[in-house]
Amino acid sequence: MVDGGPTDSSDEGKLLNFLKDNNPNEGKPKITWIFTHAHHDHMNLALSFLEKYHNEIEVTMFCYNFPSIDDIPITEEPASRVETSRGLIEKLDYLIDTYYQDAIVYKHHAGDILRLAGCKIEFLQTHESYYPNEFSWFNHTSSAFIVTIDNKKVMVLGDSEYTNNEYLSYLYGDILKCDVLQLAHHGLNGGSLNLYKEIDPSICLWAIDETLYKTNDYCLGNKPLCDCNAWIRNNSVRVRSHYHASTTTTLYFKDM
């Protein structure tokens, strides 16, 4: 599991049913849960789900690397949103201490490789990679990593900002080639043309609703530093499959 943002009354139940329906073993579904950064639209559903269904799932590992809010100022983020992030981190700590004492808590760093059953996760970037640059927004603290399953690769960028993504492109180059891309910051601003060209995915995941995907100037690439979105949607460059959040999509790696 990666992140898990806004929620309504039905989302938690749908997620539980999905996990049970796709559980390869007897007993409770076993989960590793990774968080890219501490924003409400990446943690609310996860925290609600973890609290509500702690008796019906087993989390074997929590994986995250959040900055110390007291030590690293977030200069442009409103104080109320910084406090919201602090509360999310504290809530996660509470849930682990209360319901998931047996889970491994893994603080990942750039260069780490995590091997799970049938899966390899290569961590490329954390907030530590960006330091000592100024953290204008919590998005600058986003982790980025590649998940490999059945020789297919998925790039997860969370909400990485433009400067984060330019750094990734400079540092890793053609190592970044992946089959699937979760676009930076929901497919709004933050992506990098250099990075997207290195990844060159055949499948693009837009964590945004259908209306925004079709009409928003950031998603369409009509805003400054959003040329990456225009490029990745351009069928004359390459025909890709695009999926937005208004529909539920299940991708099977063996069929890619």
Side-chain angles (χ1 to χ4, degrees):
M1 299 294 299
V2 178
D3 289 350
T7 179
D8 62 36
S9 58
S10 65
D11 285 341
E12 296 125 357
K14 290 177 182 177
L15 177 55
L16 180 65
N17 290 335
F18 177 86
L19 292 173
K20 287 183 174 181
D21 291 343
N22 291 274
N23 186 9
N25 304 304
E26 297 293 329
K28 299 177 181 179
K30 295 183 178 181
I31 306 166
T32 292
W33 212 307
I34 304 174
F35 293 99
T36 60
H37 65 297
H39 262 160
H40 73 282
D41 60 337
H42 289 253
M43 293 187 69
N44 273 1
L45 170 63
L47 298 183
S48 178
F49 176 85
L50 289 165
E51 185 168 36
K52 186 173 184 179
Y53 291 116
H54 62 271
N55 286 324
E56 300 194 50
I57 62 168
E58 181 182 342
V59 181
T60 56
M61 181 184 295
F62 291 93
C63 185
Y64 53 85
N65 188 346
F66 302 134
S68 169
I69 295 176
D70 292 325
D71 295 334
I72 299 178
I74 311 297
T75 58
E76 299 295 329
E77 199 104 9
S80 60
R81 288 184 58 176
V82 173
E83 288 307 306
T84 295
S85 292
R86 186 194 303 275
L88 293 168
I89 296 170
E90 292 174 351
K91 179 67 176 291
L92 178 59
D93 290 340
Y94 163 79
L95 292 174
I96 293 172
D97 290 342
T98 305
Y99 302 119
Y100 303 101
Q101 299 96 331
D102 294 332
I104 297 169
V105 178
Y106 172 42
K107 183 178 181 179
H108 60 264
H109 306 277
D112 286 358
I113 295 177
L114 176 62
R115 296 185 185 274
L116 305 174
C119 171
K120 180 176 74 171
I121 303 172
E122 302 168 85
F123 293 97
L124 307 178
Q125 183 170 262
T126 71
H127 70 276
E128 297 157 331
S129 311
Y130 192 68
Y131 186 84
N133 293 302
E134 179 180 283
F135 293 85
S136 300
W137 307 94
F138 248 100
N139 290 347
H140 283 112
T141 73
S142 218
S143 294
F145 50 91
I146 294 175
V147 181
T148 303
I149 301 174
D150 287 339
N151 293 317
K152 302 296 182 180
K153 294 187 176 184
V154 181
M155 175 67 73
V156 178
L157 295 176
D159 277 359
S160 298
E161 290 283 356
Y162 176 80
T163 45
N164 302 105
N165 291 322
E166 283 286 275
Y167 175 74
L168 279 176
S169 175
Y170 171 77
L171 187 62
Y172 293 101
D174 57 11
I175 293 174
L176 300 168
K177 179 70 179 76
C178 287
D179 304 280
V180 182
L181 168 63
Q182 173 257 306
L183 280 83
H185 196 203
H186 309 265
L188 295 165
N189 60 311
S192 156
L193 181 59
N194 290 325
L195 178 64
Y196 285 10
K197 285 183 175 180
E198 294 285 1
I199 299 170
D200 191 24
S202 58
I203 296 173
C204 299
L205 306 180
W206 302 71
I208 207 82
D209 65 41
E210 182 176 17
T211 299
L212 289 174
Y213 169 73
K214 290 182 175 180
T215 64
N216 182 273
D217 279 336
Y218 289 96
C219 294
L220 294 172
N222 297 330
K223 292 287 188 177
L225 295 182
C226 291
D227 52 346
C228 55
N229 292 339
W231 177 84
I232 211 161
R233 298 172 71 127
N234 187 343
N235 287 338
S236 67
V237 174
R238 180 178 177 183
V239 177
R240 311 174 199 271
S241 298
H242 297 270
Y243 299 98
H244 52 69
S246 289
T247 58
T248 299
T249 301
T250 303
L251 300 175
Y252 294 96
F253 290 88
K254 63 183 180 180
D255 297 332
M256 288 182 187

